[in-house]
Amino acid sequence: MAFPVPLPSDLRDKSVSLRSLTDDDWRLEYELSRVPDVPAWTYYPADMDENAARRRIARTKERHRERLAGRYAVLLDGLAVGTAGMAEVEGAEPELFYVLSPAGRGRGAATGSVRLLTQWLSSQGFSTVALETMAGNTASERVAERAGFRNTGSHPGTHRGQAVQLNRWLRT
């Protein structure tokens, strides 16, 4: 299902900026895929090569144009330190996701990104926004809490072919 309005190309506040991913961001994708805890805690592909990273960027841009999902480079002081985004989920609330490199952690970038995306969605009439974390990912759970989300329970899921427990978080 598509978002009913065009997705923004940039969002910013005084602490963090988000900008749509560009072809040059294949390096960011490549680097994030090599941070061990990124693929361990997310659905981010592990160890992408340059071609895979470029294909992922092309797919991201296509999904943005189709209003299915928006993925953004998370910028701190003008440097890309991760990605964050939102997807329209059929029959459910829009869902947020985020991942940061070690250089971007501990500086409020993930929380700021989640807040920016939530504010934009709220301004577009979405009264509830969701995100999911894998059970045990306490850093991501703290981001959700700081951004005003509440844990509404868990459900079974899979990650790389293994059974996992997913925690669902909502902000209304």
Side-chain angles (χ1 to χ4, degrees):
M1 186 168 160
F3 283 98
V5 296
L7 300 176
S9 58
D10 297 284
L11 294 167
R12 60 186 83 242
D13 68 13
K14 56 187 166 198
S15 64
V16 67
S17 296
L18 303 178
R19 71 154 167 74
S20 294
L21 291 172
T22 68
D23 291 339
D24 291 337
D25 287 317
W26 73 266
R27 288 177 187 85
L28 176 62
E29 297 281 71
Y30 177 91
E31 291 166 8
L32 287 168
S33 78
R34 284 166 168 65
V35 177
D37 64 344
V38 169
W41 288 115
T42 71
Y43 296 103
Y44 221 89
D47 299 319
M48 283 187 280
D49 62 17
E50 180 179 339
N51 288 332
R54 287 182 183 278
R55 283 191 306 272
R56 185 168 161 89
I57 291 290
R59 183 172 178 263
T60 290
K61 290 170 64 176
E62 180 180 323
R63 291 176 54 80
H64 191 104
R65 279 190 303 278
E66 294 172 353
R67 300 181 186 174
L68 298 173
R71 283 185 63 233
Y72 303 88
V74 176
L75 306 174
L76 284 177
D77 302 322
L79 298 174
V81 296
T83 64
M86 58 187 157
E88 178 70 284
V89 180
E90 190 170 342
E93 302 83 6
E95 196 166 297
L96 305 183
F97 46 90
Y98 46 90
V99 61
L100 292 180
S101 68
R105 296 176 187 170
R107 299 169 60 192
T111 303
S113 298
V114 168
R115 285 182 180 146
L116 275 174
L117 292 167
T118 301
Q119 289 166 0
W120 182 82
L121 287 163
S122 178
S123 76
Q124 300 305 309
F126 292 95
S127 60
T128 306
V129 179
L131 63 85
E132 290 190 337
T133 60
M134 282 187 221
N137 187 349
T138 55
S140 195
E141 291 170 351
R142 287 188 187 117
V143 167
E145 290 170 345
R146 284 192 301 268
F149 285 71
R150 62 181 170 73
N151 187 327
T152 60
S154 63
H155 61 91
T158 59
H159 181 260
R160 309 205 190 285
Q162 301 294 314
V164 295
Q165 203 63 23
L166 298 172
N167 293 321
R168 185 147 180 90
W169 300 78
L170 295 177
R171 180 167 172 183
T172 53

